[in-house]
Amino acid sequence: MRKKFHAQLLSVATVLTIVLAGCSSSGSGSGSGGAGGEGGKPDGAQTNKPSQNEQATSSSGEQQLAKIRYAAFNGVSGLAVQFGAEKGFFKDEGLDVEFITTQNAIEGLTSKDVDVADVATTNAIVAAGKGAPIKIVSSLFRTKGPFYLVASPDINSVEDLKGKTVGAAAFGSGLDAYVQVILQKHGLGKDDVTYVANGVNDAAFASLTSGQVAATIIHEPFASLAEVTGKGKLLAKGWDYLPNFHTGVLASRNDFIDEHPELIEKLLRGYFKSQEYAKSHLEEYKTYFLSKVKVDPAAVEKAFEREDVLWENNPDVDLQALKETQQIQVDLGFQDQIYDVDKIVDLRFIPKK
């Protein structure tokens, strides 16, 4: 099921309900939306709407806009692109972007309800490898896991988690992968803790602050919120442990790629213009961010500063990183084989500088 959201009605605060009461890829993967990701979807859709995926000129000579249906990541990972839509970057490309809400981007693509989507890298690889008619067309604005292992204030180290309850977001997700690797690097395994799937974002934050878990993997701004409120302590940054684990891509349907390659290129240009503008006009973007996310501004400041290193805005896809990511998936039992990445990527549409 899908629903069109208008940008002016975007309310990421809905995702952050628990925080208001108290802030790859959805909960599986990266970003990465993965359990989050990287996991949003409001809208900056324009008003002139020609027939589906057609660009035309009206009788008055005014250029009309080509319709494209795009599923951005849920939550804060999709905010900069919404910001860019409001700034008119997609309209400048001749696009009328319909932002689609979906809990399963792969399903949205294969059902043809979505033309292009933000997807956790591992989800895209496995789906395409198993025969789903989709391809990776670009990396997202960041590809390293923006995930944090945050513990209750009385926990001083990862080693202190032995015998405690640890939240892994969603089993089999990219977030789960990060938790397991962090534990392993500190001499612990899943059997050394009580390992639970505690959800992402506000759900994970609530499980930590209520004492249901002693530690959890979580996204920003929740990691910073835990710190500035004194409700949690940062134990580990995910990318320090898995620096090459790829967490977020843009993917499209094979038929849409064949029929409308020019629209994919235009969408990617609008996407990265949005990201680059947001990063280079950070104070303006923070104001926009805080208008959508009702959270302590100090936590937002801390989160932006911490994640600056991840905000690369590089659309290129590192094929070696995709192979390394798959090997980690296989080692953890999340994937039964390594797929040929050359068969599941199509990078012809990456914007040229």
Side-chain angles (χ1 to χ4, degrees):
M1 181 178 295
R2 63 186 178 87
K3 181 180 181 182
K4 181 175 178 180
F5 276 45
H6 293 283
Q8 61 268 31
L9 298 180
L10 169 65
S11 178
V12 177
T14 301
V15 179
L16 308 177
T17 303
I18 298 295
V19 177
L20 295 177
C23 215
S24 196
S25 165
S26 84
S28 60
S30 86
S32 2
E38 277 262 30
K41 265 141 253 114
D43 169 43
Q46 311 300 328
T47 55
N48 295 326
K49 298 180 181 178
S51 58
Q52 177 71 32
N53 300 320
E54 295 287 336
Q55 186 168 353
T57 302
S58 68
S59 58
S60 65
E62 180 183 354
Q63 184 187 60
Q64 295 193 335
L65 304 177
K67 182 77 165 289
I68 188 167
R69 298 167 301 177
Y70 167 51
F73 266 142
N74 289 315
V76 298
S77 296
L79 266 187
V81 74
Q82 308 296 337
F83 178 58
E86 291 194 8
K87 301 297 292 186
F89 294 129
F90 293 102
K91 185 176 181 180
D92 290 346
E93 294 295 331
L95 294 181
D96 171 6
V97 178
E98 180 182 359
F99 286 86
I100 302 298
T101 287
T102 178
Q103 294 304 311
N104 188 321
I106 301 296
E107 186 177 280
L109 289 167
T110 58
S111 67
K112 300 188 178 183
D113 287 332
V114 174
D115 302 319
V116 181
D118 295 353
V119 186
T121 305
T122 52
N123 291 353
I125 289 173
V126 173
K130 290 181 177 295
I134 64 169
K135 284 189 173 64
I136 293 168
V137 296
S138 171
S139 286
L140 290 179
F141 70 100
R142 62 185 174 195
T143 61
K144 301 183 191 309
F147 314 131
Y148 306 87
L149 187 65
V150 177
S152 57
D154 59 313
I155 301 293
N156 294 313
S157 67
V158 176
E159 287 81 2
D160 288 346
L161 294 175
K162 186 172 184 178
K164 302 291 196 303
T165 301
V166 175
F171 292 153
S173 69
L175 288 163
D176 183 0
Y178 278 83
V179 179
Q180 291 198 46
V181 169
I182 290 169
L183 290 175
Q184 289 170 8
K185 294 287 179 69
H186 290 269
L188 300 177
K190 290 196 324 182
D191 293 340
D192 294 312
V193 300
T194 300
Y195 207 63
V196 299
N198 63 325
V200 297
N201 297 321
D202 55 329
F205 188 78
S207 70
L208 177 69
T209 57
S210 67
Q212 293 176 325
V213 299
T216 186
I217 197 77
I218 205 163
H219 292 78
E220 288 288 18
F222 296 96
S224 291
L225 185 66
E227 289 183 296
V228 301
T229 59
K231 295 180 179 179
K233 179 182 297 181
L234 179 65
L235 295 183
K237 295 181 292 188
W239 66 89
D240 287 340
Y241 292 79
L242 288 175
N244 297 319
F245 193 92
H246 201 289
T247 58
V249 295
L250 285 139
S252 186
R253 312 190 319 260
N254 291 348
D255 64 323
F256 192 81
I257 291 172
D258 293 340
E259 295 168 12
H260 303 287
E262 75 288 352
L263 298 189
I264 297 174
E265 185 173 353
K266 290 178 178 183
L267 182 83
L268 292 179
R269 278 203 302 267
Y271 176 92
F272 284 100
K273 283 180 182 178
S274 299
Q275 297 292 344
E276 289 161 5
Y277 184 89
K279 187 174 184 181
S280 62
H281 297 77
L282 200 54
E283 293 308 312
E284 182 184 353
Y285 178 52
K286 286 177 185 175
T287 299
Y288 175 85
F289 187 99
L290 285 166
S291 75
K292 305 299 180 181
V293 183
K294 308 305 180 184
V295 66
D296 188 332
V300 173
E301 285 289 338
K302 193 177 186 71
F304 272 94
E305 181 178 354
R306 176 178 283 148
E307 295 197 338
D308 178 74
V309 67
L310 303 182
W311 200 349
E312 297 174 324
N313 290 337
N314 181 3
D316 292 328
V317 178
D318 184 339
L319 300 186
Q320 182 59 38
L322 296 191
K323 293 174 184 176
E324 290 185 39
T325 298
Q326 291 192 81
Q327 186 60 60
I328 292 165
Q329 290 269 109
V330 170
D331 292 345
L332 292 173
F334 293 173
Q335 193 171 320
D336 57 6
Q337 68 180 83
I338 294 178
Y339 299 100
D340 184 350
V341 296
D342 292 323
K343 295 180 179 179
I344 59 182
V345 298
D346 188 344
L347 306 181
R348 293 174 292 159
F349 318 108
I350 286 179
K352 306 299 186 293
K353 293 290 185 182

